[in-house]
Amino acid sequence: MWESENHSVGFGAGDYGNGVPPSAKHALNTHGFDLRGNSWHVATDIPSDLLVKVEGVNFHLHKYPLLSRSGKMNRCIYESRGPDLNNNLVFDDLPGGSEAFELAAKFCYGLAVDLTAANISGLRCAAEYLEMTEDLEEGNLIFKTEAFLSYVVLSSWRDSIVVLKSCEKLSPWAENLQIIRRCSESIAWKACANPKGIRWAYTGKPTKVCSPKWNDLKDSSPSRNHQLVPPDWWFEDVSILRIDHFVRVITAIKVKGMRFEVIGSSIMHYSSKWLPGSVTDTTNASDEGSTSATSHTSGGSNSWRGGIHMIVAGNKEDHSTIQAKDERMIIESLISIIPPQKDCVSCSFLLKLLRMANMLKVSPALVTELEKRVGMQFEQATLVDLLIPSYSKSDTTYDVDLIQRLLEHFLVQEQTEISSPGRQSFSDKHMYDGSQRGVIQNAKMRVARLVDSYLTEVARDRNLSLTKFQVLAEALPESARTCDDGLYRAIDSYLKAHPTLTEHERKRLCRVMDCQKLSIDACMHAAQNERLPLRVVVQVLFSEQVKISNAVSNSSLKEASDSQFQLPVMNRKTLLEATPQSFQEGWAAANKDINTLKFELETVKNKYVELQTEMEKLQRQFEKVNNKQKQSSGWSSGWKKLSKLTTKISTLETTENESHHPTIEEHTKKVHRRWRNSIS
């Protein structure tokens, strides 16, 4: 029952009754309606006594058949009675238009009416408008259309899609009668059900490319029974819907519990169809997507843009403005239904939406939400995706501030993932933390390479300020870059595009780069780069010298440790011979600068030695003069005598200590007496 079946149910109204005399029944026998120009006439001998106008189409009818079935016709005809009898009624606001009223009028006359998925929604709304209820007669039009919707349409996949598509011009009647809700839930239930028993002939694809029906496979070989139904089998059908109805279907599918990556894929499929970027492509996409789905509908008015034009009718705006409003509505709706899980849609798709959102001035709250989503998977972006033009008042070609915000969202997200508590055990949590940090570090390194490439591209813009360049380059931590070659290329591009920078500004620009993280090739290029400040060139030369020395020593150690393989020692001469001519010339200039620096360093050392010897001479002369002054002093001679006496006393004490053991107090008294005698 899920294949799209073009059900067509025909029925008549039966006897009129309820106020229509038997003579009228016999007299109003008719075989149909005749179209003459822009007017419909009943094929009967009795002249019409009622004129109904619907959307500029005239219907020449009779009162009694309509009064028996329509409460609104009863009320309008009763209210029109007066001194001036008026038998003209105008129903310009009738849902479904003249086509639906034609079917309703045929039903009132007892003619057979074919109910299909294409006309059922309009006829159901027209019956509600005309108040064709069971109170007037049993089996009235409202009852019959409701039965067809419930038992025929909602049990068929294709008919549910077609009915929902036909409801685009029936707002708010279709919404109030729950037609949109019931069709959306029916589509969602079928999309989420087990696809093994589906007889799925697509409405959006030709029959040639459709998968075989389930009934054909049921009696076939076992190998054919294992053919799998792809998870995106319903994408093309749902993509023919207008954006508001598509949102209703996706919302219902979310409630049913479908996997978020499948929902994200359906959103991307819908976006690729309705956001092509040009009016011609949009029209073609609409025609291609809905050709097979709406081939049985009338008038070819089921295209999505037709429905939107109905909504904005009365606005005297050009086509480009209307298209911009349509695309803004689509973007805002798609942003609101993207699942919150990471990786449900690609980062390239999110950046495409972000580009169009900035161009079409989408709501700032939705743009901020979209920027956060991009920051969650920023490491998946490419350079082409990031080159978003600046649609604001900024002078720069590309929106550098936007990339700065995306990078900030990425860093916040990574920090949140690191600091988020886990529910694992201690050992599991330890292993998880290690692997998680490794993944985050790899993501940071990919983002660093991406930012360096972006800086190289936008550095060619002469209006890009040094502050913006520096802030974006320093946004990532130092651990995110193991090599600064990409950053050096960006700095060199900025210096080429901004030759008027002062020496201070060039030094400030080069501070974002670590010379020790440059490769040997980058060092050789930087050594002969005249745009770099002299201080940076010296740092580059020093780091290059250290790297070459380390490379030579490491190669020699490896050769000594490995006895099986004899690797040639790469000395400086062979390294230079293996490099291109431009690098050799750069190395010669760098070597000359290094020798000059060494000579200056030796000169400074010699001057330091000379100053040190002179200082020692002055110190010796100062000590001689100081000694002479001490010898001329009387106190100095007295202290010398005291020192001699102390030595004598110490020797005497050692000799006398063997025979006598005087107390410490006696010994100190003797010493004091001797010091007094010697001083006196």
Side-chain angles (χ1 to χ4, degrees):
M1 286 300 293
W2 283 17
E3 67 172 330
S4 183
E5 303 169 3
N6 256 334
H7 289 283
S8 178
V9 178
F11 58 87
D15 296 335
Y16 289 99
N18 287 343
V20 181
S23 59
K25 297 178 187 179
H26 179 73
L28 292 178
N29 287 335
T30 179
H31 298 287
F33 283 24
D34 295 333
L35 180 62
R36 304 171 189 172
N38 201 29
S39 301
W40 285 97
H41 297 269
V42 182
T44 181
D45 296 335
I46 300 176
S48 62
D49 55 357
L50 179 65
L51 176 62
V52 181
K53 295 182 179 180
V54 181
E55 292 183 345
V57 179
N58 300 323
F59 291 87
H60 298 275
L61 307 174
H62 303 83
K63 292 181 182 179
Y64 293 109
L66 300 179
L67 293 177
S68 65
R69 296 278 181 171
S70 173
K72 187 175 183 64
M73 298 290 291
N74 271 294
R75 188 170 58 256
C76 291
I77 292 175
Y78 177 79
E79 292 175 353
S80 64
R81 292 179 178 179
D84 300 328
L85 185 61
N86 186 9
N87 293 329
N88 297 338
L89 299 178
V90 180
F91 295 146
D92 286 336
D93 57 344
L94 187 141
S98 58
E99 297 174 0
F101 185 78
E102 176 192 350
L103 296 177
K106 288 181 178 180
F107 176 81
C108 292
Y109 276 91
L111 298 176
V113 177
D114 293 334
L115 297 182
T116 63
N119 62 25
I120 187 62
S121 58
L123 189 57
R124 172 66 182 89
C125 295
E128 189 72 21
Y129 179 87
L130 295 173
E131 302 175 11
M132 302 177 71
T133 62
E134 295 294 294
D135 296 336
L136 297 176
E137 185 169 337
E138 185 178 355
N140 210 344
L141 188 58
I142 290 180
F143 172 78
K144 293 187 179 294
T145 52
E146 273 293 330
F148 186 81
L149 278 172
S150 301
Y151 296 104
V152 178
V153 171
L154 297 181
S155 61
S156 169
W157 166 265
R158 177 178 293 178
D159 290 347
S160 299
I161 295 285
V162 173
V163 170
L164 191 56
K165 181 72 178 175
S166 64
C167 290
E168 294 175 357
K169 298 187 297 182
L170 299 174
S171 180
W173 288 91
E175 185 69 43
N176 296 334
L177 296 175
Q178 305 295 320
I179 300 176
I180 296 176
R181 180 189 62 79
R182 287 183 288 174
C183 289
S184 300
E185 291 183 354
S186 174
I187 294 169
W189 182 81
K190 294 176 176 63
C192 296
N194 190 348
K196 289 184 178 180
I198 298 176
R199 300 170 63 188
W200 47 298
Y202 292 169
T203 60
K205 294 182 179 180
T207 308
K208 295 180 181 180
V209 299
C210 291
S211 295
K213 294 182 179 181
W214 179 75
N215 284 347
D216 298 337
L217 293 176
K218 191 164 59 174
D219 299 329
S220 59
S221 61
S223 61
R224 295 183 64 189
N225 284 330
H226 292 290
Q227 293 184 7
L228 298 178
V229 177
D232 61 344
W233 66 269
W234 52 275
F235 287 4
E236 188 67 26
D237 292 349
V238 175
S239 65
I240 70 174
L241 300 174
R242 201 173 66 185
I243 183 61
D244 53 343
H245 296 163
F246 177 76
V247 170
R248 294 289 294 271
V249 171
I250 295 298
T251 304
I253 288 176
K254 283 183 180 180
V255 175
K256 303 294 182 183
M258 180 171 283
R259 290 177 295 151
F260 62 87
E261 61 269 16
V262 179
I263 296 176
S265 299
S266 67
I267 293 173
M268 289 191 291
H269 183 85
Y270 188 90
S271 174
S272 65
K273 187 165 186 173
W274 295 113
L275 296 175
S278 62
V279 178
T280 304
D281 293 337
T282 303
T283 306
N284 293 337
S286 176
D287 294 341
E288 292 175 2
S290 58
T291 298
S292 59
T294 59
S295 58
H296 52 280
T297 58
S298 58
S301 60
N302 288 304
S303 65
W304 181 86
R305 298 195 61 80
I308 286 294
H309 283 304
M310 181 273 299
I311 292 175
V312 297
N315 295 337
K316 297 180 179 180
E317 298 174 317
D318 56 358
H319 191 71
S320 61
T321 305
I322 296 174
Q323 182 195 9
K325 285 187 175 182
D326 297 346
E327 292 181 348
R328 186 186 304 116
M329 182 190 303
I330 295 175
I331 293 172
E332 291 178 348
S333 301
L334 293 181
I335 294 173
S336 63
I337 63 174
I338 294 176
Q341 291 84 359
K342 185 179 179 181
D343 296 332
C344 63
V345 293
S346 65
C347 186
S348 178
F349 169 72
L350 293 174
L351 286 168
K352 177 185 176 183
L353 278 185
L354 187 58
R355 180 195 298 262
M356 299 191 71
N358 289 333
M359 180 178 64
L360 298 173
K361 307 297 181 184
V362 174
S363 172
L366 292 175
V367 172
T368 302
E369 181 65 24
L370 189 57
E371 291 177 358
K372 292 180 180 179
R373 293 301 307 270
V374 175
M376 291 174 61
Q377 47 199 97
F378 191 56
E379 70 276 6
Q380 303 173 4
T382 61
L383 178 60
V384 178
D385 298 330
L386 295 184
L387 295 177
I388 300 175
S390 179
Y391 298 104
S392 60
K393 297 180 180 179
S394 177
D395 296 332
T396 57
T397 305
Y398 299 108
D399 198 344
V400 182
D401 296 332
L402 173 61
I403 305 303
Q404 176 69 29
R405 293 195 300 270
L406 297 179
L407 191 55
E408 291 175 357
H409 291 310
F410 168 76
L411 294 174
V412 170
Q413 178 66 25
E414 297 298 324
Q415 189 64 30
T416 304
E417 291 182 1
I418 292 175
S419 60
S420 60
R423 296 184 178 180
Q424 300 89 351
S425 62
F426 178 78
S427 59
D428 294 341
K429 185 177 180 181
H430 182 72
M431 294 175 61
Y432 173 79
D433 290 344
S435 61
Q436 184 73 3
R437 289 179 181 177
V439 171
I440 292 174
Q441 182 63 25
N442 293 333
K444 286 183 179 179
M445 294 173 64
R446 289 195 296 269
V447 171
R449 291 193 293 268
L450 182 63
V451 170
D452 293 345
S453 301
Y454 180 79
L455 286 172
T456 304
E457 187 68 27
V458 300
R460 302 184 180 96
D461 189 357
R462 295 182 179 272
N463 295 323
L464 180 63
S465 64
L466 177 59
T467 302
K468 286 187 177 182
F469 184 95
Q470 187 176 8
V471 169
L472 186 57
E474 294 178 344
L476 287 168
E478 295 182 0
S479 60
R481 292 186 178 93
T482 57
C483 180
D484 279 8
D485 286 6
L487 200 55
Y488 169 69
R489 284 192 293 269
I491 292 173
D492 189 46
S493 299
Y494 191 87
L495 291 174
K496 287 180 183 178
H498 302 79
T500 58
L501 291 178
T502 62
E503 184 72 14
H504 174 71
E505 290 174 339
R506 287 189 294 165
K507 289 181 180 179
R508 176 184 164 191
L509 175 65
C510 294
R511 287 196 192 102
V512 302
M513 175 183 63
D514 188 358
C515 297
Q516 296 180 358
K517 291 184 179 181
L518 296 178
S519 63
I520 295 179
D521 293 339
C523 289
M524 289 182 176
H525 185 277
Q528 54 185 348
N529 194 345
E530 298 178 354
R531 291 178 291 272
L532 295 177
L534 182 60
R535 180 182 180 87
V536 177
V537 174
V538 173
Q539 292 176 355
V540 169
L541 291 172
F542 178 75
S543 63
E544 182 185 13
Q545 182 72 17
V546 171
K547 288 178 182 178
I548 292 176
S549 301
N550 292 335
V552 172
S553 61
N554 291 334
S555 62
S556 61
L557 289 173
K558 186 176 181 180
E559 181 184 359
S561 61
D562 193 0
S563 59
Q564 296 179 354
F565 301 96
Q566 296 294 332
L567 297 177
V569 179
M570 298 294 291
N571 54 18
R572 187 176 300 175
K573 183 177 180 180
T574 55
L575 279 173
L576 289 175
E577 290 177 355
T579 56
Q581 184 66 27
S582 59
F583 286 160
Q584 292 183 19
E585 294 176 357
W587 172 249
N591 197 11
K592 187 181 294 183
D593 294 336
I594 291 173
N595 293 332
T596 304
L597 292 174
K598 287 182 178 179
F599 178 75
E600 292 179 356
L601 184 60
E602 291 295 332
T603 305
V604 172
K605 286 183 178 180
N606 293 332
K607 289 183 179 180
Y608 176 75
V609 171
E610 292 177 359
L611 291 174
Q612 191 174 8
T613 53
E614 291 179 359
M615 184 176 179
E616 290 177 355
K617 290 179 181 180
L618 291 174
Q619 189 173 4
R620 285 195 294 270
Q621 292 178 2
F622 177 75
E623 288 178 356
K624 289 179 181 180
V625 173
N626 196 13
N627 290 334
K628 289 180 181 180
Q629 291 179 355
K630 288 180 180 180
Q631 290 175 1
S632 62
S633 173
W635 284 101
S636 61
S637 59
W639 284 112
K640 286 181 179 181
K641 292 179 180 180
L642 286 174
S643 62
K644 290 179 181 181
L645 288 173
T646 53
T647 55
K648 289 179 181 181
I649 291 169
S650 61
T651 54
L652 289 173
E653 286 178 353
T654 53
T655 55
E656 293 177 358
N657 198 18
E658 296 176 357
S659 57
H660 302 283
H661 300 279
T663 61
I664 296 175
E665 294 180 356
E666 292 177 354
H667 180 67
T668 53
K669 288 180 181 179
K670 290 179 181 180
V671 172
H672 284 303
R673 284 197 296 270
R674 289 172 185 171
W675 283 359
R676 290 194 190 98
N677 294 331
S678 63
I679 293 172
S680 59

